[in-house]
């Protein structure tokens, strides 16, 4: 299928732990943070794919692996069918314009010393053969796309002269200006006030359609991701535990962890049932993740030894609903 | 016999005096709280929530000053009290606070237990160290931490445990009222749900009066019976939480509630409020929400709307709403 833009195949990223003096005396064994541990998925053209999960589950690391900001320990990334993990840096450079990233913090991600016009123009200027007039036209057009209008009013301003929401619009404009095919947005609205989040998300949804990009949306906010994503994958300790259409995940979650996660989201409704069945404890360390099913130490549905001993594979149990749990045995 | 509320805040006005001018962070804020009642103070970043909390305890940073109004706690206007009286009578014993972001600001070189003991010793000098430690263990147990972990250092605790420890610490001198400033904000949703449930249980068990400050209306819906909505230093709407969620009267409250996505309810269009909150050094005249309000009239630009009583204790400050 040629409309698959990005594909992750058995991706792993293990960060070596810098051992303290004492522990390095006691053990020669190198320890690793298993930040991403065998993750596979693909994203189609015009699709918004969400990666959700608690802090430290490996979302950001996955995003950075896909655009090769970091190198995987093992596994492969394909961009439009082409394997890119083994590309040399100069070949990769040509691909970079097709892959952009939008960061969480609009206060840190924009260079404070250059104007909005230059921030957006920077990646465009790197394109071969773009004349200054063409660059200006692209900048104007993209600023209009992100509703910073009229563009003249914004081109000469510096980031500190903008509100948080306006800054994030600039970051979005910068990402889309080079007409990329794949964009990673890492918690793009979590630093913004609630009252302006929706407009930034809606903007990104419409730009994904307009530019026919594919989009990875990283978040820990399930209520918002429901409005944003076509499909959703839930991560726990470096692994995808469930992946399906967003509505399936939200309304018919199967994995006990997904269920717990959705149950724990507070409702903006005082007459709604209060959260009662909160699971115990917090995420264990990714350095020595629990054997077998990584969720077994907290799982309310634990079914015995098999959960402790055998790692459940992520299986398609029908209609592209993937679950990694021994409760759902039969592959379809 | 008339019952007096535990806390009665009247017309509280707090400014920060800076080189660039006065930041008008709280303007004529009034609300009350009974014994055992829970109030959520909501509003977006910078609207003055923390300022209200710091004013109630008179622990404003340099430059911050209560310029008008009264804070009557158990019949005493604490605005008139001096530092010694605040320390001996009010803070920790009367009103205690869990600070915003304190979870990441626990002193790393002291054991959790020592920090609790220290708090008890300062405010109740007669208590011996052993008694204080015993009390510390009981408090830890109450917030769901294994008491033996009282000798751990903060870095040995997860985020959720640190927040629990801070809640335990805030209860060290049996306060009647607890202010929790963004208690769930930096936490993951499962841990946040655990902490919210703990707050609910403690409030009921200890008959605490609770002010929970957060920008997240869903957390307030989960814990509190009453809600106060702030915008740019003003209280705009106040009342029973069910009434306000079902039938909000202030245009800002209406928009804010709609901008909160729900995960369980039927999917609705996401809405946002155009524009941004004003700079409190130079706030707009009249209703401070008028530059963003879709109903703004001429009078809104000139006259600050008064807080009007609608029914029972539902109050609204908007020129559209007749009391
Ligand atoms: N450069 C690094 N060196 C060592 N460990 C790292 C590095 N980057 C990430 N980690 C670890 O890898 C794990 C996954 O981190 P990652 O940032 O991908 O999680 P995340 O899901 O994005 O979390 P958050 O929601 O907090 O952003 C964490 O335990 C983290 O501490
Ligand atoms: N020490 C200070 N000096 C000057 N201005 C201050 C000071 N502290 C706060 N302010 C300003 O006072 C206003 C209210 O701040 P406050 O911290 O009370 O808001 P908040 O509602 O608690 O916000 P948040 O949700 O971000 O915690 C803001 O405009 C803030 O910039
Ligand atoms: S495999 Fe076992 S422990 Fe893991 S989620 Fe399923 S039931 Fe729970
Ligand atoms: S007073 Fe006027 S501007 Fe303010 S909320 Fe009411 S209608 Fe809108
Ligand atoms: Mg991250
Ligand atoms: Mg605050």
């Amino acid at each position: 299928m040629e409309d698959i833009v990005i594909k992750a195949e058995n991706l792993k990223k293990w960060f070596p732990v810098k051992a303290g003096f004492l522990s390095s005396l006691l053990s020669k064994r190198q320890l690793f943070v298993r930040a991403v541990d065998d993750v596979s998925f693909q994203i189609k053209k015009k699709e918004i794919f969400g990666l959700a999960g608690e802090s430290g589950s490996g979302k950001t690391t996955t995003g950075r692996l896909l655009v090769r900001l970091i190198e995987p320990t093992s596994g492969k990334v394909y961009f439009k069918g082409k394997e890119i993990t083994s590309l040399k840096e100069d070949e990769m450079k040509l691909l970079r314009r097709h892959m952009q990233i939008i960061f969480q913090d609009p206060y840190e991600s924009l260079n404070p010393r250059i104007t909005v016009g230059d921030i957006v123009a920077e990646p465009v200027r790197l394109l071969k053969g773009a004349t200054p007039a063409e660059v200006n036209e692209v900048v104007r057009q993209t600023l209009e796309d992100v509703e910073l209008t009229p563009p003249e009013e914004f081109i000469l301003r510096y980031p500190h002269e903008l509100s948080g929401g306006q800054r994030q619009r600039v970051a979005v404009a910068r990402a889309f200006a080079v007409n990329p095919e794949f964009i990673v947005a890492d918690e793009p609205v979590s630093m913004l006030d609630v009252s302006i989040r929706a407009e930034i998300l809606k903007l990104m949804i419409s730009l994904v359609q307009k530019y026919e990009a594919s989009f990875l949306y990283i978040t820990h906010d399930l209520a918002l991701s429901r409005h944003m994503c076509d499909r959703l994958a839930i991560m726990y300790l470096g692994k995808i535990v469930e992946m399906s259409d967003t509505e399936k995940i939200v309304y018919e979650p199967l994995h006990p962890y997904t269920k717990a996660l959705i149950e724990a989201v507070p409702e903006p409704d005082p007459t709604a049932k209060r959260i009662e069945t909160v699971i115990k404890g917090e995420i264990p360390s990714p350095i020595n993740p629990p054997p077998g099913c990584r969720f077994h130490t907290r799982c309310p549905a634990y079914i015995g030894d098999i959960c402790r001993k055998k790692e459940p594979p992520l299986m398609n149990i029908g209609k592209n609903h993937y679950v990694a749990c021994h409760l759902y045995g039969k592959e379809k | 016999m008339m019952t007096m509320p535990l806390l009665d805040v009247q017309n509280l006005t707090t400014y920060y005096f800076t080189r660039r001018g006065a930041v008008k962070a709280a303007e004529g804020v009034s609300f009350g709280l009974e014994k055992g009642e829970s109030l959520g103070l909501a509003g977006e970043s910078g609207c003055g929530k923390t300022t209200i909390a710091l004013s109630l305890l008179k622990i404003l940073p340099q430059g911050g000053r209560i310029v008008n109004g009264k804070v009557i706690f158990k019949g005493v206007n604490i605005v008139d009290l001096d530092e010694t009286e605040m320390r001996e009578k009010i803070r920790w014993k009367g009103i205690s606070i869990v600070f915003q972001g304190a979870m990441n600001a626990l002193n790393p070189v002291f054991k959790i237990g020592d920090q609790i003991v220290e708090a008890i010793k300062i405010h109740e000098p007669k208590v011996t160290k052993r008694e204080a430690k015993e009390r510390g263990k009981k408090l830890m147990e109450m917030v769901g931490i294994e008491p033996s972990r009282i000798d751990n250092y903060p870095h040995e605790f997860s985020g959720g445990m640190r927040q629990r420890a801070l809640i335990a610490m805030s209860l060290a001198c049996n306060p009647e009222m607890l202010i929790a400033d963004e208690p769930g904000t930096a936490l993951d949703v499962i841990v946040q749900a655990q902490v919210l449930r703990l707050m609910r249980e403690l409030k009921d068990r200890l008959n605490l009066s609770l002010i929970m400050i957060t920008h997240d209306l869903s957390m307030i819906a989960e814990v509190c019976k009453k809600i106060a909505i702030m915008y740019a230093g003003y209280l705009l709407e106040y009342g029973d939480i069910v009434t306000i969620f079902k039938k909000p009267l202030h245009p800002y409250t209406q928009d804010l509630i709609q901008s909160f996505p729900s995960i369980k309810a039927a999917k609705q269009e996401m809405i946002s409020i155009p524009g941004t909150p004003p700079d409190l050094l130079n706030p707009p005249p009249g209703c401070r929400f008028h530059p963003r309000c879709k109903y703004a009239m001429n009078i809104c630009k000139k006259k600050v709307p008064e807080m009007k009583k609608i029914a029972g204790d539902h109050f609204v400050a908007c020129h559209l709403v007749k009391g």
Side-chain angles (χ1 to χ4, degrees), chain B residues 7-12 29-32 52 56 70-72:
Chain B
L7 177 75
D8 185 12
V9 178
Q10 296 174 7
N11 202 26
L12 177 65
V29 170
S30 304
F31 64 90
I52 300 281
L56 298 189
K70 292 180 182 165
V71 175
I72 299 169

Side-chain angles (χ1 to χ4, degrees), chain A residues 56 58-61 104 186-187 218:
Chain A
K59 307 179 295 294
T60 295
T61 307
Q104 174 175 24
D186 194 350
E187 312 257 17
I218 294 175

